[in-house]
Amino acid sequence: MDASQSVDLLIYNIKELLTLVDGYTTSAKDNEKKLGIIEDGAVAIKNGRIVKVGKSDEVTSSVKIGKNTYQIDASKKVVLPGFVDPHTHLVFAGTREKEFLLRQQGVPESKIMKEENTGIISTVRWTRKATYEELLEETKKHLTSIADWGTTTVEVKSGYGLNLEEEIKMLKIVKDLKEHTLINFKSTLLAAHIIPPEYNMRDEKYVDLVVEDIIPIIAKNDLANFNDVWCEKGKFTREQAKRILHVGKKFGLKPKIHADELSNCGGAEVAAEVSTISADHLIYASEEGLKKMKEAGVIGVLLPTVSFSLGKEDYAPYSKMKEIGLTVALGTDFNPGTSFCPSMPFVITLAVTKLKMSVEDAIIASTINAAKAIDMDKEVGTIEEGKRANINILSIHHYEEIPYRIAENYVETVISNGEIVKGG
Ligand code: NIG
Ligand code: FE
């Protein structure tokens, strides 16, 4: 940075600054150490990047503060990195509250799926029918709502198009938003979400379409970073998943997988074998599979709002994962069927109450680990000099209040790429 130029934004007097960088604090308790806490801290921002982090007096005396520097006094506040949501299906048309309500009443899944306007298939129908502009408008609303809860980086999947043209439509919307908003995006091709109705009983033919047409064209047009498959009984088999993920890899799309969400189908093992960047859900993953994931360096992405929204008692075996030493991230899985949830703070509440994560681990899982799960950790996920300025200011006194204040939106100011997107 040119020291003669004043900074654009200064946040100072921060009661508790969670940098998520190890080793900043010597006075903190062991758990707090992992969060890299600076008491009475400050952050200076210039050209969308963090240029100085430290104690308030140290930062204010070492950067130039001019008449154009926007200053925020964050005394009595907690400041932490913008949340990273590493798993969403943000682009979709229509809503499916009917099936949510029937499920809570204990109506069996087979019966619910026979009802009109239920299931992924309905979302596919509505999404295909929506024009590009209609879908873009809907997605912008969801984006506003995730940013309102402090998410500044998001992974978005396709998967409600299920043919070349419609998958392109979904991914172009993500590209459009990436280019025209302040939020950070990664996009994922999920052509292998379900077998579309027109390929009923011809699933191998659909897999051929995915590997021969959809993947190559999406990759050549630079429309996705990742390639994902739902590996599950009645969705895609282990063999199909491997084929789809290997072909994606050849075309430069990093593999991801929806694994062991509804049953133990060996998804964690597939993740390890293919060396996916992440394996997501893992509610029914085997211990063996989790160990293999650890060896292969696969990150586990846990999505507890899915169990919550489906009214299930089963949550991913986090304590086993912790024992094994697996890197774990958290996400919302925002989608119209199993998790209409834009809020990472609510995900943290469930991580603490249902997965039995410590609050510190849940914060790490929602920031730097989530950034790792989408290959963004060099750019976001910590408050560190050189990184993109993605920062949340919370109107609470101590980070331990994050899961405790259930569904209260204490996210007061959200900064993404150095710009204020909420509050100020
Ligand atoms: O992540 N697992 C697959 N897909 C979604 C559900 C999508 C939907 O129901 O529309 C999930 O849970
Ligand atoms: Fe999902």
Side-chain angles (χ1 to χ4, degrees):
M1 186 199 32
D2 178 357
S4 65
Q5 280 193 353
S6 55
V7 295
D8 300 329
L9 185 60
L10 176 76
I11 312 164
Y12 65 105
N13 282 350
I14 303 166
K15 179 167 189 291
E16 232 177 46
L17 169 58
L18 277 52
T19 64
L20 276 287
V21 180
D22 278 333
Y24 262 107
T25 299
T26 46
S27 64
K29 288 183 279 172
D30 252 15
N31 272 343
E32 297 184 354
K33 234 185 217 170
K34 296 194 287 190
L35 299 176
I37 295 177
I38 303 174
E39 278 155 19
D40 192 19
V43 187
I45 294 159
K46 172 108 194 133
N47 297 332
R49 300 256 164 192
I50 296 162
V51 291
K52 188 80 190 158
V53 184
K55 286 272 187 195
S56 224
D57 48 1
E58 185 187 307
V59 173
T60 47
S61 62
S62 65
V63 300
K64 189 163 175 216
I65 300 159
K67 62 177 188 325
N68 291 327
T69 303
Y70 190 81
Q71 298 186 47
I72 302 176
D73 181 347
S75 38
K76 303 193 189 139
K77 311 253 161 85
V78 169
V79 169
L80 83 175
F83 293 120
V84 179
D85 189 344
H87 183 138
T88 79
H89 307 247
L90 212 63
V91 186
F92 59 85
T95 55
R96 288 171 23 215
E97 60 282 359
K98 181 176 166 188
E99 76 189 61
F100 169 81
L101 294 171
L102 289 172
R103 259 182 213 120
Q104 312 310 321
Q105 297 300 314
V107 178
E109 209 60 27
S110 54
K111 207 160 164 223
I112 294 176
M113 289 305 141
K114 285 198 190 102
E115 294 273 335
E116 237 184 299
N117 300 335
T118 60
I120 296 178
I121 223 72
S122 304
T123 304
V124 171
R125 211 171 44 241
W126 299 325
T127 304
R128 285 176 173 177
K129 222 158 79 198
T131 64
Y132 183 88
E133 286 68 31
E134 285 167 347
L135 212 46
L136 180 65
E137 277 320 298
E138 274 309 296
T139 312
K140 276 185 186 164
K141 285 187 207 155
H142 302 321
L143 196 61
T144 304
S145 98
I146 65 165
D148 195 49
W149 287 100
T151 295
T152 53
T153 302
V154 63
E155 180 262 17
V156 183
K157 301 174 196 297
S158 64
Y160 295 122
L162 308 183
N163 60 40
L164 180 61
E165 192 188 341
E166 294 296 325
E167 289 291 295
I168 288 178
K169 181 171 91 182
M170 293 186 73
L171 292 168
K172 275 200 170 152
I173 285 174
V174 185
K175 194 170 180 193
D176 211 341
L177 292 169
K178 183 178 178 173
E179 285 165 6
H180 297 107
T181 70
L182 290 160
I183 303 300
N184 305 286
F185 284 89
K186 284 276 177 161
S187 58
T188 301
L189 173 67
L190 181 60
H193 193 185
I194 58 165
I195 305 286
E198 57 276 20
Y199 281 87
N200 203 0
M201 311 300 281
R202 297 189 298 137
D203 54 329
E204 283 302 333
K205 280 271 170 275
Y206 183 63
V207 175
D208 289 344
L209 177 80
V210 172
V211 300
E212 287 164 16
D213 287 352
I214 302 183
I215 291 175
I217 292 174
I218 295 296
K220 272 178 206 143
N221 287 284
D222 209 13
L223 282 169
N225 306 104
F226 305 108
N227 180 35
D228 197 343
V229 181
W230 190 3
C231 185
E232 185 70 62
K233 256 185 236 123
K235 306 294 185 285
F236 293 85
T237 65
R238 284 193 295 272
E239 290 318 308
Q240 290 170 337
K242 281 188 235 170
R243 183 176 169 215
I244 291 164
L245 296 179
H246 279 306
V247 171
K249 249 188 184 179
K250 257 187 24 208
F251 282 92
L253 302 179
K254 291 194 176 159
K256 279 185 167 275
I257 185 168
H258 280 67
D260 306 316
E261 176 182 356
L262 303 174
S263 63
N264 174 10
C265 60
E269 285 83 348
V270 173
E273 205 180 313
V274 179
S275 239
T276 58
I277 180 163
S278 73
D280 302 30
H281 288 287
L282 301 172
I283 298 170
Y284 300 103
S286 71
E287 188 170 343
E288 219 26 62
L290 294 174
K291 283 184 177 153
K292 286 185 180 156
M293 274 175 55
K294 159 79 184 162
E295 276 162 38
V298 180
I299 295 164
V301 175
L302 309 188
L303 309 160
T305 48
V306 173
S307 300
F308 184 80
S309 174
L310 294 175
K312 285 185 166 182
E313 294 305 319
D314 292 345
Y315 283 80
Y318 171 68
S319 45
K320 204 34 70 223
M321 295 172 187
K322 175 114 179 139
E323 203 180 293
I324 291 169
L326 198 70
T327 301
V328 168
L330 287 165
T332 62
D333 197 11
F334 194 141
N335 78 72
T338 60
S339 174
F340 207 116
C341 174
S343 167
M344 286 300 285
F346 183 62
V347 169
I348 294 175
T349 292
L350 287 188
V352 168
T353 56
K354 301 291 188 181
L355 299 172
K356 305 297 170 196
M357 268 185 158
S358 69
V359 58
E360 291 82 11
D361 284 353
I363 292 170
I364 292 166
S366 308
T367 52
I368 185 61
N369 283 4
K372 286 180 186 161
I374 56 169
D375 206 13
M376 282 286 276
D377 52 309
K378 291 199 174 62
E379 286 289 311
V380 305
T382 61
I383 297 182
E384 224 173 320
E385 287 158 26
K387 278 201 174 176
R388 297 187 197 182
N390 296 338
I391 294 166
N392 286 330
I393 304 176
L394 312 182
S395 57
I396 54 176
H397 295 103
H398 187 35
Y399 72 84
E400 289 182 333
E401 293 172 54
I402 293 175
Y404 160 74
R405 292 184 181 246
I406 301 166
E408 180 196 328
N409 199 340
Y410 40 70
V411 182
E412 193 176 79
T413 303
V414 180
I415 296 158
S416 192
N417 290 300
E419 303 283 334
I420 295 171
V421 295
K422 178 189 180 182

